[in-house]
Amino acid sequence: PAPTEAPTPEPTPEPVDPLLLYIEGMTTEEKIGQLCMFGFSGTKEISSEFKKILQDYHIGNVILYGQNMSRTNSDGGFSQCRRLSDSVRNASKSEIPLLISTDVEGGSVTRFHWKKTLSSAKTLGSKNDPERAEEQFRYIAEGLLSAGINVDLAPCLDVAKDPDGTFLGKRIISSNEQVVSDVGAACIDGLHDGGVLSIVKHFPGHGATSADSHESTPVVKKSLDALRGYELVPFSEAALGADGVMVAHISYPKIDPDHIASQSEIFITEILRNEMGFTGIVMSDDFRMAGLRKQTSLSDGAVQFILAGGDLILCGANHSYQRQILDGLYAAVEDGTVSEQRLNESVYRILSAKLRVTDWDPFENED
């Protein structure tokens, strides 16, 4: 008799990422809320208007600026900020924890009154001592965590031939791109050592212009090859270790004649993600800035940022602007301009970051 053929084995199913399954169970409204990092005014408690936005739109992330800190308090503002950040967390109705950010860089950008003097980026660069930079940012992270903050929008990885000729000034580490890479990477490591996420800025670089994107839209007439040889070096090296990259509202017409960087698929997807291999969160600079608002409406700008490959829209304490951003996103998802798959990609990056700095367990109720 002919031998019996062995049965064909069933293929082993590919393991399913449980975070993807969690995201599939989220509502579209919850997903859109995760794409926003919004601010509010006040130092004592969350305002009623922002509380309504936070709850009605399921906002997933909050920014605290200097106006939210009472740095003249006896402890430099840390305990006051902790009470404020706790009030924000308590106001959120979502089981998903918040990312709460600020921007402590050292030098003139410190937000609190620190017991130790925080050297400016320029000073850290002049010392060219990565160990010192790492130690300072570990100290910063510990202070931020005590205040209820788990994200630092730092360091600046901009590089400039003449830093003092830019609006960033001493916030730039060095005019030497390799020094910026080395010291910047150490700053990121220090934040991670202290348990805080790092979002570096201002991709693809603010160093070739004296214009301030808070007030206008800077224009840099450089080629992509020129950027690759200088401005992009720190981002292609140090930024790969960061949790997020903030994209600036700057025009580079020789690279993308149609969109500023924060609206550009060329910069965000083709260069930052595909060419440089960055897989973390891509965040916009603040949508209140004239560098964006002189180019597009807030609703259209929010949609274009997501379509270009961005993940997290930053907007400080202007609730009218925040509602315009949300209205644009809601309409774009409803009419199919922004797909559910596109939302899921960004939500996945943001929730993955939250797992790294919170004790949230989205899988605890699963079998």
Side-chain angles (χ1 to χ4, degrees):
T4 302
E5 291 187 5
T8 303
E10 291 290 327
T12 303
E14 290 289 326
V16 178
D17 187 331
L19 189 56
L20 290 176
L21 293 178
Y22 182 88
I23 292 170
E24 286 180 7
M26 294 172 65
T27 66
T28 298
E29 292 77 13
E30 288 172 330
K31 294 175 184 178
I32 291 174
Q34 290 299 315
L35 272 55
C36 300
M37 179 175 277
F38 288 167
F40 63 97
S41 298
T43 59
K44 293 186 177 180
E45 60 184 13
I46 182 173
S47 66
S48 57
E49 184 176 3
F50 187 64
K51 183 176 182 179
K52 183 170 177 57
I53 292 174
L54 185 74
Q55 295 179 350
D56 290 353
Y57 292 96
H58 312 278
I59 301 304
N61 314 279
V62 172
I63 174 81
L64 300 178
Y65 283 114
Q67 64 180 356
N68 300 115
M69 320 300 193
S70 297
R71 58 179 296 156
T72 56
N73 284 9
S74 59
D75 72 342
F78 291 95
S79 59
Q80 167 268 323
C81 185
R82 182 66 195 222
R83 290 190 295 271
L84 184 63
S85 60
D86 284 348
S87 78
V88 176
R89 288 188 169 92
N90 292 335
S92 174
K93 291 183 175 180
S94 175
E95 68 176 35
I96 303 172
L98 298 170
L99 290 181
I100 298 185
S101 73
T102 192
D103 52 346
V104 174
E105 303 170 8
S108 61
V109 187
T110 58
R111 303 309 180 192
F112 301 90
H113 182 73
W114 299 77
K115 290 183 179 178
K116 295 181 182 178
T117 299
L118 300 183
S119 298
S120 68
K122 180 179 181 180
T123 297
L124 292 176
S126 66
K127 302 292 185 184
N128 194 13
D129 183 352
E131 187 173 333
R132 173 177 171 172
E134 183 173 352
E135 180 181 347
Q136 172 166 303
F137 275 81
R138 186 186 304 112
Y139 171 69
I140 289 171
E142 291 166 355
L144 293 180
L145 277 186
S146 74
I149 293 169
N150 51 22
V151 182
D152 192 8
L153 308 185
C156 293
L157 294 184
D158 308 83
V159 58
K161 296 296 185 184
D162 177 19
D164 291 337
T166 74
F167 91 92
L168 293 172
K170 293 181 180 179
R171 296 169 63 192
I172 291 179
I173 294 171
S174 175
S175 59
N176 182 302
E177 68 274 24
Q178 197 57 55
V179 172
V180 176
S181 293
D182 295 343
V183 173
C187 296
I188 295 165
D189 288 344
L191 291 173
H192 288 166
D193 292 344
V196 167
L197 299 178
S198 168
I199 295 184
V200 300
K201 53 197 182 185
H202 306 81
F203 179 83
H206 228 300
T209 173
S210 60
D212 181 348
S213 51
H214 292 84
E215 308 296 337
S216 64
T217 307
V219 178
V220 177
K221 296 180 180 179
K222 279 195 165 190
S223 68
L224 181 53
D225 283 342
L227 284 188
R228 285 192 184 111
Y230 189 57
E231 281 90 349
L232 292 184
V233 171
F235 291 100
S236 62
E237 296 181 5
L240 296 185
D243 305 282
V245 171
M246 178 188 288
V247 187
H249 305 312
I250 304 179
S251 172
Y252 300 82
K254 290 188 175 181
I255 302 168
D256 188 338
D258 301 317
H259 299 100
I260 57 175
S262 61
Q263 303 278 288
S264 172
E265 185 175 1
I266 294 173
F267 274 108
I268 295 173
T269 296
E270 294 182 17
I271 298 174
L272 182 57
R273 292 217 186 276
N274 296 342
E275 181 180 319
M276 296 167 56
F278 183 71
T279 59
I281 296 169
V282 171
M283 179 181 184
S284 76
D285 210 339
D286 201 316
F287 262 45
R288 295 177 300 171
M289 296 167 67
L292 174 97
R293 291 187 297 106
K294 288 182 179 291
Q295 302 299 314
T296 183
S297 69
L298 293 169
S299 56
D300 288 347
V303 173
Q304 180 57 33
F305 173 70
I306 299 299
L307 292 177
D311 303 306
L312 188 56
I313 297 169
L314 176 65
C315 184
N318 186 313
H319 303 318
S320 171
Y321 287 179
Q322 292 166 1
R323 291 181 185 278
Q324 291 174 55
I325 290 166
L326 289 161
D327 289 345
L329 293 176
Y330 271 68
V333 172
E334 185 175 350
D335 68 16
T337 301
V338 173
S339 68
E340 200 77 21
Q341 179 182 354
R342 179 67 201 85
L343 284 182
N344 291 349
E345 291 171 358
S346 289
V347 173
Y348 184 87
R349 296 185 189 108
I350 293 164
L351 297 192
S352 295
K354 292 186 175 187
L355 288 173
R356 296 197 290 274
V357 289
T358 70
D359 57 6
W360 177 51
D361 182 2
F363 322 118
E364 60 184 355
N365 295 324
E366 294 186 2
D367 295 334

